[in-house]
Each structure stands twice: as structure tokens, then as C-alpha cells.
Amino acid sequence: VKANLVNTGLKYIDKSQSSYSETQMAITSIMFVDYPQTLSSKIPLNYSSLFPLMISTMKHNEIPLISYVKKANSSFLWSAKQSAICRPSKEWICINSPNIFFSNNLFKFTLTTPLPKIFLAIFRDISSQDSISPFLEYIENNGLPKNQFFAYIHNDIPHNPYRVTSECEPTNYINQNMEGYKSSYNCALKTLQIFMEKINIIDPEAIVVFQGDHGIRDLNIEITEKEKYLLLGRVFNAIKAPETCFKKYGAPKTTVNTLRFVLNCAYGYQLPYRE
């Protein structure tokens, strides 16, 4: 697998670590390009500043990641469904438009209720887990943006419920979490390969990052606390970027530092790495 990654121009960053153990906090750290909460934080967590509530409570151009990209005269493309679904805004382009339920103003009043999770659980399917294919289709149909762009793609294929084989064919792993996870993981690797083959043709200078936002946490197996920590914390992390950027900034091993690496490498920022 690592050899195949190298052939596509990706460098695998071994022993990379997720910043948090759940998607909500991980996405928030991506949007903040920093940690919204640390072990030493003395101020209680304000849930209105976390994703997805932050999309309703914050001015979109004041979200740090959006602001950094905008200052660099770059556009922001967002391809995601399920937990990271894109809410329409003039500050970014939603690749796969969300259901009208998520588009109207009524939605923000339901964010503090179980309704969104119930809705997503009912309507979750294979196509709604794949955010890479819609992005490629968008680029093929519309061409690359004329100016630099930052694309955030949140792919849910390696995520329960596990409904794809290793070859990305439809299936359903009921009460087979380990087998389902392995198949979904292999499908994600296959999708990664397809993506890189296409992006290397249409945008050969692109900086590309594939990174897990957190590890697996729903295995029904007996493991030690240390093993559980490693499963939760260790994430896949592969980056295609100029070698000069790796030499200048070092290989980033966390979600927050990967974002800082990309912003520094692509736009010339000098954002220091976080512990």
C-alpha cells in the first residue's frame, strides 16, 4: 500500500495522531486551524462555537480557515455529507448540495435536538458516504477554478455503517464491525488511488492531504486501555507536497499541524506548529 502511495506522489507520515476522538471536535479544529479545547483549558467549552453550530453562530468570513484562504485570494470548495455536511454560504461552494432540510433557516433551530442525527441515520446510504466522487465529477464538469482553491472533502466511506466491499461494491456488514471496517478501509484506499490518478492529470501541482479525523472506536472486542488509545488516536496521514515544504516546515503529524503545513506551503503563511 505504501509503495502505491509513493507512486502517486503521496508521502505517508507514519505514527500520525488525531487531535480528538470524534468528528465534531476534529472538524472544529480544522475550521479553527487550532485546538478549541485542550487538557489545560480553564474556560468551559462553548458548544455554540463547535461545528456544526458554529456555522450558524459565527460570521462565516471570521472562521479562521475560511479567513486564511480568503486572504490568499483563494476560493473554498466543500464536498461533504453526513456529519460534515456543507451548509450554503457565499464564503464557499458546496459541491454536493445538501437536502433542502439543511438549507432552510429552520435547520439551525434543530441543531440542539436529536432531529439531525435521526434524519441522517434514516437517510444514510453508500452514495451519501462518498464525497470524493462528487468532487471529481464537479471538477470534470466545471473545470478547475481559475484561481487557487482550497478543497475540503470529508469522505465517510471508512465509517459505520459499513456498506461497501473492498472493491467498493454495495453490501451490508451486520454485526461484523471488524470485517466491515477492513472492507471500508480498503475501499477508501481504492478511492484514494483513483483520486490521485485523476488529480495528477488535471492538477499536477496540487497539494493533497488524505488524513483520518479520528481512529476506530466501535469495535466489539476486548482490548486494553492502551490499545484502545492507539486505535482511537493513530490515523492514516498521506501528503503530496513539494519536498521544499517538508524540509522547511517538517512532516506534520496531527490534524491541526497538517492544516498549518498546507496553509504555509500553499500560501506562504508562517503559522507555527502546535504541541
Side-chain angles (χ1 to χ4, degrees):
V1 169
K2 289 182 180 179
N4 288 337
L5 294 177
V6 171
N7 289 337
T8 66
L10 287 163
K11 175 182 287 191
Y12 183 75
I13 313 298
D14 198 19
K15 296 182 179 177
S16 292
Q17 193 83 5
S18 62
S19 302
Y20 299 99
S21 62
E22 63 178 8
T23 297
Q24 181 187 30
M25 293 295 286
I27 296 178
T28 303
S29 71
I30 288 172
M31 293 299 170
F32 277 30
V33 198
D34 210 339
Y35 301 113
Q37 183 82 346
T38 68
L39 291 173
S40 60
S41 297
K42 296 180 181 179
I43 301 175
L45 201 60
N46 181 0
Y47 285 94
S48 66
S49 66
L50 301 182
F51 185 88
L53 277 172
M54 63 185 292
I55 302 300
S56 298
T57 59
M58 293 181 67
K59 291 182 178 179
H60 292 175
N61 61 359
E62 292 179 354
I63 296 172
L65 177 58
I66 307 300
S67 178
Y68 281 127
V69 172
K70 190 174 182 179
K71 285 179 182 176
N73 294 318
S74 197
S75 56
F76 192 98
L77 279 61
W78 187 334
S79 179
K81 301 180 182 180
Q82 303 298 339
S83 55
I85 197 165
C86 179
R87 277 82 179 182
S89 169
K90 65 178 182 179
E91 302 297 336
W92 53 71
I93 299 169
C94 288
I95 299 299
N96 31 19
S97 298
N99 186 286
I100 191 170
F101 171 78
F102 294 100
S103 301
N104 60 47
N105 292 327
L106 180 65
F107 177 70
K108 63 184 178 182
F109 296 109
T110 70
L111 287 173
T112 56
T113 74
L115 189 58
K117 285 188 177 181
I118 294 172
F119 181 90
L120 292 174
I122 294 173
F123 292 98
R124 183 190 286 261
D125 58 25
I126 295 170
S127 62
S128 69
Q129 287 181 298
D130 176 16
S131 296
I132 292 178
S133 297
F135 173 79
L136 289 175
E137 289 171 8
Y138 176 87
I139 295 298
E140 288 170 357
N141 293 333
N142 298 279
L144 291 172
K146 293 181 180 179
N147 299 322
Q148 280 187 307
F149 68 96
F150 184 105
Y152 172 57
I153 307 172
H154 194 102
N155 190 40
D156 253 350
I157 286 292
H159 198 291
N160 69 327
Y162 307 115
R163 292 181 177 174
V164 290
T165 67
S166 295
E167 296 299 314
C168 300
E169 296 295 329
T171 188
N172 203 339
Y173 290 93
I174 300 174
N175 298 323
Q176 292 179 289
N177 281 353
M178 179 59 87
E179 288 303 312
Y181 180 71
K182 284 167 60 179
S183 294
S184 295
Y185 197 100
N186 283 320
C187 171
L189 289 174
K190 182 180 178 69
T191 307
L192 180 157
Q193 191 82 21
I194 294 171
F195 178 91
M196 290 305 299
E197 288 171 359
K198 290 187 177 182
I199 211 71
N200 283 338
I201 294 172
I202 61 178
D203 194 6
E205 301 301 316
I207 296 171
V208 183
V209 174
F210 282 93
Q211 188 176 74
D213 64 346
H214 61 75
I216 189 168
R217 58 179 175 174
D218 58 356
L219 287 176
N220 295 321
I221 56 175
E222 293 296 324
I223 56 176
T224 66
E225 286 299 314
K226 183 178 180 180
E227 289 171 328
K228 186 181 294 184
Y229 172 78
L230 289 175
L231 281 172
L232 277 169
R234 290 288 167 83
V235 291
F236 183 96
N237 184 19
I239 301 173
K240 180 193 174 189
E243 190 59 34
T244 53
C245 288
F246 287 109
K247 289 180 179 178
K248 187 173 182 178
Y249 304 112
K253 294 193 174 187
T254 66
T255 311
V256 167
N257 286 341
T258 297
L259 262 294
R260 289 171 174 253
F261 172 90
V262 169
L263 292 171
N264 290 344
C265 184
Y267 304 126
Y269 288 111
Q270 297 296 323
L271 302 173
Y273 281 178
R274 295 298 193 212
E275 292 294 330

